[in-house]
């Protein structure tokens, strides 16, 4: 069974560029969560999505960040006009319907903004 | 004040000892409590989850939740060097929602 897949694993962007992070949930999972882990800090919730719906985006910065989980294909976290403070590890987790207490995490995408 | 408090460590123990980890929290509405293990530069791995108060055991791992004290614990028996990692507590309001994480405790098990 394939676990949660994320790509790319490492991403380098210059300030002002766009970053696109992709997440494919575990087979059978329809719920996706995105978290960010800043250096020396814990994981912080960003957004919770189901297919074609954003359920909770209370952790998303108001500007430059967006997320989607289309009917077909992976979930995408998009960061426009990246700044150095966006450098972090971004983790995606997936869960089965009604089983959000068992979220399984992917390996993460490490974003470095130069 | 953070919603979930966790001592960052590092916590160093000799091989074979019991590792004792804990978190405190301020929101009494939390219902689900989880422990994750994270190796360096890897994703968090779910170890255990517990609903409401009580104990849960899985192999060498025991999780305890005391909602009256807003305190959760994880015990690792017969610790091994391969247990060296960062342990994250997490909790949520319901079975569908976002997880609130502690900062993580770094554990080092020395041979």
């Amino acid at each position: 069974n394939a676990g949660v897949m994320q790509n790319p694993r490492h991403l380098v962007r210059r300030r002002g560029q766009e970053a696109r992070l992709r997440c494919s949930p575990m087979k059978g999972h329809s719920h996706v969560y995105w978290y960010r882990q800043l250096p020396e800090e814990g994981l912080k919730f960003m957004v919770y999505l189901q297919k074609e719906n954003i359920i909770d985006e209370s952790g998303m910065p108001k500007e430059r960040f967006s997320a989607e989980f289309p009917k077909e294909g992976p979930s995408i976290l998009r960061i426009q006009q990246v700044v150095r403070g966006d450098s972090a590890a971004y983790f995606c987790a997936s869960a089965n319907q009604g089983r959000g207490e068992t979220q399984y995490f992917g390996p993460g995408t490490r974003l470095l903004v130069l | 004040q953070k919603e979930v408090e966790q001592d960052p460590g590092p916590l160093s123990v000799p091989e074979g000892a019991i590792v004792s980890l804990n978190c405190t929290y301020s929101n009494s509405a939390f219902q689900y409590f989880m422990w994750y293990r994270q190796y360096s530069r890897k994703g968090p791995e779910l170890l255990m989850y517990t609903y409401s108060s009580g104990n849960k055991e899985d192999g060498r791992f025991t999780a305890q939740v005391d909602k009256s004290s807003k305190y959760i614990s994880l015990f690792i028996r017969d610790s091994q060097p391969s247990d060296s990692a960062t342990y994250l507590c997490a909790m949520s309001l319901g079975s569908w929602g976002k997880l609130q994480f502690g900062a993580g405790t770094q554990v080092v098990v020395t041979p």
Side-chain angles (χ1 to χ4, degrees):
Chain A
N1 285 331
V4 178
M5 299 177 69
Q6 290 187 249
N7 64 81
R9 297 289 306 277
H10 300 274
L11 183 61
V12 179
R13 285 289 178 265
R14 297 192 180 278
R15 282 178 295 169
Q17 293 183 319
E18 178 180 288
R20 283 192 178 223
L21 288 61
R22 289 178 290 278
C23 168
S24 296
M26 285 180 70
K27 186 176 181 180
H29 285 188
S30 56
H31 297 222
V32 166
Y33 305 77
W34 286 93
Y35 295 84
R36 177 164 64 174
Q37 189 171 40
L38 293 165
E40 308 303 324
E41 292 189 23
L43 284 151
K44 304 291 185 188
F45 167 79
M46 299 181 75
V47 62
Y48 164 33
L49 311 104
Q50 295 178 21
K51 288 280 188 182
E52 300 184 284
N53 281 308
I54 296 175
I55 306 302
D56 181 356
E57 56 182 349
S58 59
M60 287 277 271
K62 292 290 186 280
E63 297 177 351
R64 302 187 297 107
F65 285 74
S66 62
E68 62 177 7
F69 190 14
K71 188 176 180 181
E72 301 289 339
S75 175
I76 306 286
L77 179 67
R78 182 184 179 201
I79 312 172
Q80 295 178 289
Q81 298 176 322
V82 296
V83 301
R84 288 209 173 121
D86 296 332
S87 295
Y90 291 83
F91 291 97
C92 162
S94 75
N96 216 339
Q97 177 131 3
R99 297 302 308 274
E101 76 278 10
T102 50
Q103 295 181 25
Y104 294 93
F105 281 76
T109 293
R110 280 159 181 81
L111 172 65
L112 175 63
V113 179
L114 301 176
Chain B
Q1 183 188 5
K2 293 181 181 178
E3 211 168 9
V4 181
E5 297 276 2
Q6 185 176 10
D7 188 330
L11 178 63
S12 183
V13 300
E15 184 176 357
I18 295 176
V19 177
S20 175
L21 303 163
N22 59 77
C23 290
T24 59
Y25 61 95
S26 57
N27 189 347
S28 59
F30 284 132
Q31 295 285 346
Y32 290 88
F33 305 89
M34 305 84 176
W35 285 95
Y36 284 83
R37 178 175 63 195
Q38 186 176 24
Y39 292 111
S40 180
R41 304 190 69 75
K42 301 290 186 184
E45 173 192 0
L46 179 63
L47 290 175
M48 299 182 72
Y49 74 92
T50 311
Y51 172 69
S52 195
S53 284
N55 295 356
K56 189 173 184 179
E57 188 172 320
D58 184 1
R60 296 186 296 115
F61 298 91
T62 299
Q64 293 182 349
V65 175
D66 182 350
K67 290 193 71 179
S68 62
S69 302
K70 300 194 188 76
Y71 187 90
I72 69 171
S73 302
L74 178 72
F75 301 96
I76 308 173
R77 291 182 298 280
D78 188 25
S79 57
Q80 306 295 313
S82 58
D83 294 326
S84 298
T86 296
Y87 290 80
L88 303 161
C89 65
M91 43 202 79
S92 67
L93 299 175
S95 64
W96 41 265
K98 62 188 178 187
L99 299 182
Q100 190 78 29
F101 280 88
T105 298
Q106 183 186 359
V107 172
V108 178
V109 181
T110 55

